[in-house]
């Protein structure tokens, strides 16, 4: 047992007492995120080609893609922000935002008990945005 | 002006919680600053108390709550008796009884944590009680009075004759206030081997009673310090403030001691400092 | 006037003799209860008749035949006691007791044959004052209640200990003979007569401790016999010294004033007798051995009455020895005993032994008060006698009842007592409250003692203060532990609750009455102080006049509340049933239930065992006891030496 | 006035976390974030707590513990799931021994996502928990 009558912490405590606290007063004082900080996955529905690579590589199985329906969805509560999906996305449709994910409350739980944090996109026009094969990656598809 | 001391006793019952609560609030802020934190608002202890009173209490058995009421009641009574003109030595015994009720309340619960806390609180009692008896007896001896008002009115400067006792007081008060390194029975700090020690199974208003009693207890300790500085009571309160600051410093700079050490050291201090002081007093007078 | 006292001495003796002849249990019940009622009424009558005025002296109500002088009568009694002791000792191959008793007989024979024994004024044979009155009431009421209690206790005792041969006829006869001797002892003013009663109580204690006749208990019985006989020998020697020095054998005369140096040797020896009887260190071990006797014996002899004979004698001697070195040494013996046994008690697990240590400690306080001797301290001493007799007697009886229900005296096994034996617990709590909960009884007494210590100049005052501070804190510790065990709760089923139904009505009657007595004494504290203890304390120190502790009505009310708080609470709490459905305790997240079990790994259920702290590693009980014995032994040697030097 | 918003006491339980979120919960207590500014106390004792803060996913063996701790908290009380594992099971959701998020066994009031959840998010979560607590108090009162 350490001798409790030795007081090595006293000078430190006294120094602290007279100096400014180290506390960052969070809600009123928000520290900007570092570069490369991983927070929320953002999805650009315009550029996605529903290749499903992100879904296949996602370690948390947070991403669901249904190519036939042009649907792309993510469970933000399951996502671990590992950045793999961003790295594999050929269309650069996925980006990693520095901002933290949103906090959710129970009232957002769906009627069937779906968790909150479910985000879902549907491609506007499947005919325009859906190349059938990954090989057909020609940039001229706009015609 | 001649005021019946009973008035002071009644005032104590109502004002001591305010004093104790503010003291606890200061304590938390200063502790936080010593840890380089901002800390809670000054009134935080009152918010906590209010919340605990609003919250439901889970009953662990039917006897814990009445015993805790006894605890806070006797604590208030001790202070009221102290200021209200009861014999000083007698209040030492009532103080011990008040503390005992907390032990009994915790001991009545079946939880191993509560029980261990209760047993350790008994040790705290055993460690501190001899000192308080000696202290109050010696104060009576020195001042030739037997009541609080009597000591204040006495022309003798008590602290000059009881320096050893005053030193010992600062040591024993650490035990009584359950400050580290002597917070063996419970503490306000997070995770520990005892969970929350003797308050482990007290929830809601039951915990509020414990908190209240602790406030009364700090006020009683402050009153004890005032006894030492009977020629100028504001000086006594000032000394109490400084001593309390030191307590906070020690609290923040030490790790918890084993109960064996608590018992041995406090007995040694009581015997050497207070006992020596009393001996000198009896030999020289 | 004296016939009442004679009745008090003679009637229990006759009842004892009658009980010796009764083999039928039912008949015995009737006789014991009837005799108890008669003795109790007689003691109350005595107290009411004589207790209100000044001290009175009186002789025998009849004239002795010419051939039978008092001296011869006493010699015959002493020879009978001696013969009995010698026979028993030879049977059990003990050598010390016959030697001690032989010494006493030799002294008595010498005094009788040499004719040196001065003529005694028979009209001063008995001395009845308020201290005697207190003792008579204690013996008459508490003593007889304990006899009644024994009716139930002994039945269960033999049921749960089938190997012990029942000798209940002897047991009850001894109890009543003992009462008779005690009545004699506390009213007697003639030292040789007091010695005879003194020896009878020793003998009763010896026989009752050895009741079970196992090797162990016989050993303890002889320990008690030897130590008390040593005290008896001291008593005899004191009488011898007084006779040789042509001093009086009249106790009241002897103790009327501060004693001159010439009396000191005899007083020292009388103090020795008082210290042995009240089991002060270094003689404490006999009282602990005595705890192996059946519990009513512990209550009657070793708590409420017989050990009080020792402090009774010392309180009587107090005015004579106060202020002398002898008195200071006696006081220190008592106070140090209080400190040491309290320290040992915190390491003790056997409840009866804890109570025994507490008893020795309380007696130590009285001895301390008697040795220092001031009106305030005599007040304190008598207050402790009253409170201790009633509350500790109750506690011993309750522990006896618990022991017969739970088959254990171990404090740890008293766990959750409140739930298992609710009514018994309430009684136990009344006793504990009476013993030590502030602002009542012992605590008031301790406080008054501290106030008195403050007046004592020099290092003695400081030392006594320190001893008191530590000693009384230690008492909080062991009472607190006992209270924790009694007050803890769990949910029990009907089968467990049924255990309490088997407590006999004799036990309920005795314990209930004693508990009521505790409350009554608390309520009448002011009256007792003003009318009985205060005047007596002043009368003891003739010529002094001081104001005593002023007991205000508010203080009285708070006392009654303090005494009733725990028992009433306990009764109320034990009737609550609804908490059992939902209550659980914290065990690091494990499922727990109010019957004190918790879920463990692999779906098992384990019961939770909670144990008290016994300060292992800090306080070594055996070592402390030995140290106390050695230190107090040294003081005792100094005490005798100082006495012999005559200062 | 209610005092609940000013004195939320927390019980932190590590279900089967990788300790990432636990470090962040403790980071909230450090001088840098100092949640005691809001009256938050980490009690370590369900009987004192108002908010049960759970990190990590629920597995077979700790279901009983979690439910028991929750049961031992006096009402009103809320549950805050901190981190992806507590919210949904995270990457362990389909492991053989994992039941999934805390909401499989307890009514979770606030979900704080992230791997690990950031101290700022945890503070936000506690603040949300406080409003949930207030609502529950109003309902029970």
């Amino acid at each position: 047992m350490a001798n409790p009558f030795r007081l090595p912490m006293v000078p430190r405590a006294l120094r602290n007492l007279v100096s400014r606290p180290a506390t960052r007063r969070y809600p009123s004082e928000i520290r900007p995120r570092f570069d490369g900080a991983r927070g929320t996955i953002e999805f650009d529905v315009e550029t996605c080609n529903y290749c499903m690579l992100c879904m296949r590589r996602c370690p948390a199985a947070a991403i669901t893609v249904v190519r036939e329906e042009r649907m792309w969805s993510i469970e933000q509560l399951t996502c671990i922000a590992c950045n793999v999906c961003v790295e594999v996305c050929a269309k650069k449709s996925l980006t990693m935002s520095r901002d933290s994910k949103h906090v959710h409350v129970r009232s957002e739980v769906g009627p069937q008990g779906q968790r909150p944090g479910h985000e879902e996109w549907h491609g506007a026009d499947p005919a325009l945005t859906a190349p059938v094969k990954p090989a057909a990656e020609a940039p001229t598809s706009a015609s | 002006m001649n005021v019946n001391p009973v008035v002071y006793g009644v005032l104590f019952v109502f004002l001591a919680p305010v004093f104790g609560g503010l003291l606890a609030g200061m304590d938390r802020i200063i502790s936080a600053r010593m840890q380089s934190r901002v800390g809670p608002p000054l009134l935080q202890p009152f918010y906590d108390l209010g919340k605990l009173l609003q919250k439901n209490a889970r009953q662990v058995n039917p006897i814990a709550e009445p015993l805790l009421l006894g605890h806070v009641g006797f604590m208030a009574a001790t202070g009221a008796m102290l200021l209200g003109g009861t014999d000083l030595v007698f209040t030492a015994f009532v103080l011990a009884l008040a503390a005992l009720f907390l032990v009994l309340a915790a001991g009545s619960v079946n939880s191993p944590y509560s029980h261990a806390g209760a047993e350790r609180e008994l040790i705290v009692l055993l460690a501190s009680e001899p000192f308080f008896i000696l202290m109050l007896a010696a104060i009576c001896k020195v001042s030739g009075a037997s009541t609080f008002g009597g000591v204040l009115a006495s022309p003798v400067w008590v602290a000059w004759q009881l320096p050893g006792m005053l030193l010992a007081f600062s040591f024993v008060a650490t035990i009584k206030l359950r400050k580290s390194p002597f917070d063996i029975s419970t503490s306000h700090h997070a995770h520990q081997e005892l969970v929350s020690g003797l308050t482990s199974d007290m929830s809601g208003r039951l915990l509020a009673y414990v908190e209240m009693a602790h406030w009364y207890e700090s006020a009683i300790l402050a009153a004890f310090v005032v006894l030492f500085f009977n020629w100028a009571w504001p000086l006594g309160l000032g000394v109490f403030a400084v001593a309390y600051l030191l307590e906070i410093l020690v609290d923040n700079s030490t790790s918890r001691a084993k109960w064996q050490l608590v018992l041995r050291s406090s007995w040694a201090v009581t015997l050497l400092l207070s006992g020596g002081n009393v001996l000198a007093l009896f030999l020289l007078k | 006037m004296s016939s009442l006292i004679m009745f008090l001495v003679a009637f229990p003796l006759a009842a004892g003799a009658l009980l010796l002849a009764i083999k039928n249990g039912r008949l015995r019940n009737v006789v014991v209860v009837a005799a108890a009622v008669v003795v109790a009424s007689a003691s109350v009558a005595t107290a009411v008749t004589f207790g209100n005025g000044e001290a009175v002296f009186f002789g025998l109500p009849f004239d002795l035949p010419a051939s039978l002088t008092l001296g011869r009568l006493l010699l015959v009694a002493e020879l009978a006691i001696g013969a009995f002791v010698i026979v028993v000792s030879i049977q059990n191959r003990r050598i010390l007791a016959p030697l001690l008793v032989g010494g006493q007989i030799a002294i008595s024979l010498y005094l009788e044959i040499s004719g040196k024994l001065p003529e005694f004024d028979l009209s001063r044979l008995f001395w009845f004052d308020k201290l005697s009155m207190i003792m008579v009431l204690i013996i008459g009421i508490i003593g007889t209640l304990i006899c009644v209690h024994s009716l139930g206790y002994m039945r269960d005792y033999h049921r749960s200990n089938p190997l012990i041969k029942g000798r209940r006829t002897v047991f009850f006869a001894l109890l009543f003979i003992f009462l008779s001797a005690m009545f004699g002892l506390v009213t007697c003013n003639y030292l040789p007569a007091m010695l005879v009663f003194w020896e009878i109580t020793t003998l009763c204690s010896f026989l009752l401790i050895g009741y079970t006749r196992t090797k162990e208990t016989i050993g303890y019985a002889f320990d008690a016999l030897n130590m008390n006989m040593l005290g008896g020998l001291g008593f005899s020697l004191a009488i011898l010294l007084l006779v040789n020095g042509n001093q009086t054998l009249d106790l009241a005369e002897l103790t009327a004033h501060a004693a001159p140096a010439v009396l000191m040797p005899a007083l020292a020896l009388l103090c020795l007798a008082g210290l042995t009887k009240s089991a002060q260190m270094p003689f404490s071990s006999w009282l602990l051995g005595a705890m192996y006797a059946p519990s009513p014996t512990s209550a009657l002899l070793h708590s409420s009455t017989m050990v009080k004979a020792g402090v009774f004698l010392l309180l009587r001697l107090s005015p004579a020895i106060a202020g002398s070195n002898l008195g200071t040494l006696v006081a220190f013996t008592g106070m140090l005993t209080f400190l040491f046994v309290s320290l040992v008690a915190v390491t003790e697990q056997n409840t009866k032994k804890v109570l025994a240590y507490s008893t020795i400690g309380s007696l130590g306080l009285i001895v301390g008060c008697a040795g220092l001797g001031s009106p305030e301290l005599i007040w304190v001493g008598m207050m402790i006698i009253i409170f201790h007799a009633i509350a500790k007697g109750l506690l011993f009886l309750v522990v006896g009842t618990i022991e017969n229900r739970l088959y254990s005296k171990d404090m740890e096994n008293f766990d959750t007592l409140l739930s298992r034996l609710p009514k018994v617990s309430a009684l136990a709590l009344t006793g504990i409250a009476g013993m030590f909960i502030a602002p009542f009884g012992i605590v008031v007494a301790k406080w008054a003692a501290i106030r008195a210590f403050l007046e004592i100049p020099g290092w003695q005052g400081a030392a006594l203060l320190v001893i008191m501070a530590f000693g009384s804190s230690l008492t909080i510790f062991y009472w607190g532990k006992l209270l924790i065990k009694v007050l803890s709760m769990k949910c029990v089923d009907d089968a467990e609750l049924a255990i309490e139904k088997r407590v006999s009505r004799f036990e309920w009657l005795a314990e209930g009455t004693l508990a009521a007595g505790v409350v009554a004494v608390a309520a009448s504290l002011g009256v007792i102080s003003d009318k009985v203890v205060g005047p007596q304390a002043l009368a003891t120190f003739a010529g002094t006049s001081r104001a005593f502790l002023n007991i205000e009505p508010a203080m009285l009310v708070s006392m009654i509340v303090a005494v009733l708080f725990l028992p009433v609470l306990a009764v109320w709490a034990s009737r609550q049933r609804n908490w059992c459905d939902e209550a659980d305790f914290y065990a690091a997240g494990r499922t727990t239930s109010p019957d004190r079990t918790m879920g463990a790994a692999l779906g098992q259920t384990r019961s939770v065992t909670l144990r008290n702290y016994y300060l292992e590693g800090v306080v070594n009980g055996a070592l402390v006891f030995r140290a106390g014995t050695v230190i107090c032994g040294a003081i005792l040697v100094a005490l005798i030496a100082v006495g012999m030097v005559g200062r | 006035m209610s005092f609940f918003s000013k004195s939320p006491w927390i019980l932190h339980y590590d279900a089967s976390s990788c300790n990432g979120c636990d470090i962040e919960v403790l980071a909230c207590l450090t001088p840098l974030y100092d949640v005691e500014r809001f009256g938050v106390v980490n009690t370590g004792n369900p009987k004192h707590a108002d908010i049960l803060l759970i990190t990590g996913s629920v597995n077979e063996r700790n279901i009983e513990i979690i439910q028991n701790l929750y049961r031992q908290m006096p009402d009103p009380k809320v549950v805050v799931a901190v981190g992806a594992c507590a919210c949904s099971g995270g990457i362990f959701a389909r492991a053989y021994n994992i039941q999934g998020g805390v909401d499989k066994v307890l009514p979770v009031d606030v979900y704080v996502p992230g791997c690990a959840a950031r101290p700022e998010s945890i503070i936000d979560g506690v603040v949300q928990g406080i409003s949930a607590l207030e609502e529950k108090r109003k309902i029970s009162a």
Side-chain angles (χ1 to χ4, degrees), chain B residues 87 90 110-111 119 141 264, chain C residues 439 447 451 454 596 612 617:
Chain B
D87 188 286
F90 199 75
N110 294 329
S111 161
E119 294 286 333
K141 172 90 178 168
R264 285 200 188 109
Chain C
W447 161 51
R451 291 239 63 106
L454 286 175
R596 200 174 258 201
N612 276 326

Side-chain angles (χ1 to χ4, degrees), chain A residues 37-141:
Chain A
R38 300 194 301 225
T40 316
I41 299 290
E42 286 176 356
F43 176 64
D44 180 10
V45 72
E46 301 297 327
T47 55
C48 180
N49 61 0
Y50 305 95
C51 66
M52 305 208 290
L53 257 180
C54 53
M55 176 171 118
R56 281 190 215 140
R57 297 292 294 276
C58 179
I63 300 173
T64 311
V65 184
V66 182
R67 182 186 288 162
E68 291 74 23
E69 299 172 11
R70 299 289 180 269
M71 190 281 283
W72 190 93
S73 71
I74 182 166
E75 304 293 336
Q76 291 288 8
L77 289 187
T78 311
C79 168
I80 61 171
C82 62
N83 211 33
V84 165
C85 52
V86 178
E87 284 160 18
V88 299
C89 183
K91 300 292 288 180
K92 303 276 185 268
S93 310
L94 291 170
T95 46
M96 180 63 80
S97 153
R98 287 187 214 165
D99 298 332
S100 306
K101 295 179 194 300
H102 291 294
V103 168
H104 298 277
V105 296
R106 173 132 48 118
S107 55
E108 297 170 33
V109 175
Q112 268 81 49
Q114 303 100 323
R115 288 201 185 85
H118 174 83
E119 293 172 5
E120 197 173 309
W121 283 266
H122 292 274
D125 184 354
L128 287 177
T129 52
V132 178
K133 291 177 193 166
E137 235 178 74
T140 53
S141 59

Side-chain angles (χ1 to χ4, degrees), chain C residues 96 123 165 178 257 287 343 345 384 390 401 447 457 470 530 593:
Chain C
L96 194 54
S123 67
K165 198 168 154 247
F178 168 77
H257 312 284
L287 190 66
L343 200 51
I384 301 182
I390 189 161
T401 303
W447 161 51
F470 278 92
D530 291 347
S593 64

Side-chain angles (χ1 to χ4, degrees), chain D residues 31-48:
Chain D
L32 192 61
Y33 290 97
D34 188 25
V35 282
E36 209 192 350
R37 286 178 293 141
F38 311 112
V40 170
V41 173
N42 187 5
T43 61
N45 177 359
K47 305 223 169 181
H48 294 186

Side-chain angles (χ1 to χ4, degrees), chain B residues 56-242:
Chain B
N56 285 3
R58 285 183 67 85
Q59 296 288 356
V60 274
N61 62 37
I63 205 162
E65 183 163 9
L67 283 173
L68 283 175
L69 279 171
H71 173 49
V72 66
F74 270 103
M75 228 12 132
T78 309
M81 287 166 78
L82 182 67
L83 293 186
T86 305
D87 188 286
L88 290 178
V89 178
F90 199 75
T91 52
F93 289 108
V94 189
L95 181 66
L97 180 71
L100 184 71
F101 272 101
L102 176 61
V103 173
L104 297 183
S108 73
V109 181
N110 294 329
S111 161
Y113 300 101
S114 291
H115 192 266
E119 294 286 333
R120 287 179 178 201
E121 181 68 12
L122 260 185
I123 285 169
V124 166
L125 213 57
L126 183 54
S128 58
E129 182 63 11
F131 170 77
F132 286 114
I133 295 177
L134 271 183
M135 181 193 80
L136 291 168
I139 289 176
C140 290
K141 172 90 178 168
V142 167
S143 64
S146 60
T147 61
F148 195 87
V151 173
L152 285 194
S154 162
V156 185
W157 289 20
V158 173
W160 292 127
Q161 302 218 14
L162 295 174
M165 198 67 83
L166 197 58
L167 269 180
F169 181 87
S170 57
F171 188 91
V172 177
T174 319
I175 300 176
K176 201 70 189 161
L177 288 165
R178 302 194 197 99
K179 293 267 182 212
S180 178
F182 302 132
D183 52 346
I184 49 171
S185 62
T186 182
S187 84
H188 289 291
H189 305 302
H191 303 297
Q192 48 173 306
E193 84 279 15
L194 271 179
V195 189
S196 310
L198 46 74
T199 60
S200 285
D201 276 79
M202 294 165 191
S203 51
R205 61 179 183 278
L206 274 71
L207 190 59
Y209 302 147
V210 179
E211 233 8 64
M212 288 271 285
H214 194 65
W215 296 355
Y216 277 121
E217 209 171 357
S218 348
I220 290 169
L221 289 178
F224 284 165
V225 177
V226 167
L227 279 178
F228 277 101
F229 297 89
N230 59 335
W231 65 94
W233 65 267
L235 176 66
L237 285 183
V239 170
F240 177 74
V242 173

Side-chain angles (χ1 to χ4, degrees), chain C residues 512-533:
Chain C
T513 314
L514 278 177
V518 169
V519 179
V521 168
S524 52
L525 185 67
V527 179
I528 293 174
S529 173
D530 291 347
K531 296 270 189 270
V532 183
V533 178

